[in-house]
Amino acid sequence: MLWQGRRESGNVDDRRGGGMSGGGIAAGGGILGVIALVLNFLLGGGNGGDGQMAPLPGQTTQQVSTEQRAAEDQLASFVKVVLADTEDVWGQLFQRAGQRYPAPTLVLFTDRVQSGCGYASAQSGPFYCPADQKVYVDLSFYNELRNRFGGGGDFAMAYVIAHEVGHHIQTLMGTSEKMARMRGRVSEAEYNQFSVRMELQADFFAGVFAHYQKGKGYLEEGDIEEALRAANAIGDDNIQKQSQGYTVPESFTHGTSEQRMRWFKKGFETGDINQGDTFNTNDL
């Protein structure tokens, strides 16, 4: 992705280096919520950040070298540019619809952070909290995505940010509130099915973002493939197979690898937000 020298978003709250700031994590619609289901149920599985889980053991902040800090600062600049691009894309789309786009704030943190949805841990991956309309990212996730899940590349990280901004769009649309009201009123299996539809719609919105990035000439060869590899790597089925050797479809909360790639591609190919109604289709 061509990003250097371009506008960085000012809607950023940089809390990096703050160390441990609490004793629990927020449940949320983070892109790795499916992994958390496997790893001791650390997340609530795509609920968009409307709950809070039990405390975690204490963690300590590791010292980083000057070189590591420089690399992280460069990644922070990249993420700020991506956020600025989402502001431009969604600002234009909302303007066409005769509406104003209230952009989310991006919070950069280290290890843990206090969010409007409770305490959050880096273990949950990037997440969006509808209560305060903020996207939370520990930049160490980039290395996790690349080294553990084989989803490296700068546009893989751009896809992650765009996905979480997609949850912000759902908050503005009222979808997150509807999901919150549904919790406790339907069975866990039924809620999981709606959670999958919500996450796939966020993937679709990420694809819409990529569509307009291409139109502006910001994408480089291989960028879309990087996003698709990331979507494939973090599908529920792929994660469960890696973690436990088998899948439990009724526990899926984010969608299969094929579904995640499919909806991202649909958003990318159409660029039409009206094509992303994942809640009223029998063909996910």
Side-chain angles (χ1 to χ4, degrees):
M1 175 177 162
L2 300 174
W3 67 274
Q4 293 183 325
R6 296 203 289 107
R7 181 178 77 89
E8 297 182 5
S9 174
N11 294 315
V12 178
D13 179 3
D14 194 340
R15 306 182 196 173
R16 289 178 295 158
M20 186 175 65
S21 59
I25 67 172
I31 202 164
L32 285 187
V34 41
I35 295 175
L37 282 173
V38 177
L39 301 178
N40 299 321
F41 299 94
L42 294 178
L43 279 182
N47 63 359
D50 59 354
Q52 182 172 343
M53 301 298 285
L56 293 173
Q59 294 178 336
T60 57
T61 303
Q62 297 181 350
Q63 298 296 319
V64 297
S65 66
T66 301
E67 293 78 9
Q68 289 174 317
R69 181 69 184 193
E72 185 178 281
D73 285 343
Q74 183 178 43
L75 180 58
S77 293
F78 169 74
V79 168
K80 292 174 185 178
V81 170
V82 172
L83 184 66
D85 286 349
T86 66
E87 292 165 356
D88 292 341
V89 168
W90 289 108
Q92 292 170 4
L93 291 175
F94 270 59
Q95 186 177 42
R96 291 179 190 175
Q99 302 178 38
R100 184 184 67 86
Y101 174 62
T105 296
L106 171 68
V107 179
L108 299 177
F109 70 96
T110 302
D111 287 343
R112 295 185 179 192
V113 70
Q114 172 72 63
S115 77
C117 300
Y119 288 114
S121 165
Q123 296 179 58
S124 66
F127 70 97
Y128 171 78
C129 173
D132 57 20
Q133 298 191 12
K134 295 180 180 180
V135 173
Y136 292 82
V137 178
D138 183 317
L139 294 175
S140 64
F141 173 76
Y142 177 78
N143 293 326
E144 184 84 352
L145 185 65
R146 178 187 60 193
N147 299 331
R148 182 177 178 185
F149 301 107
D154 59 5
F155 205 72
M157 191 65 176
Y159 155 68
V160 170
I161 301 301
H163 173 96
E164 298 308 331
V165 171
H167 285 307
H168 178 63
I169 302 302
Q170 291 171 323
T171 293
L172 300 179
M173 295 169 58
T175 308
S176 298
E177 183 180 356
K178 291 178 181 178
M179 285 289 292
R181 291 200 303 264
M182 190 181 302
R183 180 174 288 280
R185 298 173 59 184
V186 299
S187 69
E188 181 179 354
E190 289 176 304
Y191 186 85
N192 287 346
Q193 292 176 14
F194 283 106
S195 176
V196 166
R197 292 176 184 273
M198 189 169 186
E199 295 297 331
L200 293 179
Q201 187 177 64
D203 282 331
F204 173 84
F205 288 150
V208 170
F209 166 74
H211 172 90
Y212 287 96
Q213 288 293 87
K214 180 181 179 181
K216 295 179 180 181
Y218 294 154
L219 297 191
E220 297 179 286
E221 184 177 354
D223 279 346
I224 296 303
E225 287 73 18
E226 289 175 0
L228 289 172
R229 280 197 299 271
N232 178 71
I234 56 181
D236 284 317
D237 53 341
N238 192 35
I239 294 299
Q240 289 191 0
K241 286 178 182 177
Q242 289 186 24
S243 301
Q244 59 193 29
Y246 59 92
T247 64
V248 184
E250 58 268 26
S251 71
F252 289 175
T253 59
H254 284 60
T256 65
S257 295
E258 189 277 332
Q259 289 173 327
R260 302 199 72 164
M261 291 189 294
R262 177 183 179 190
W263 282 96
F264 174 85
K265 287 174 64 178
K266 185 173 182 179
F268 174 67
E269 291 169 355
T270 67
D272 180 4
I273 60 174
N274 295 316
Q275 300 296 316
D277 186 0
T278 56
F279 291 90
N280 292 295
T281 179
N282 293 323
D283 186 17
L284 289 178

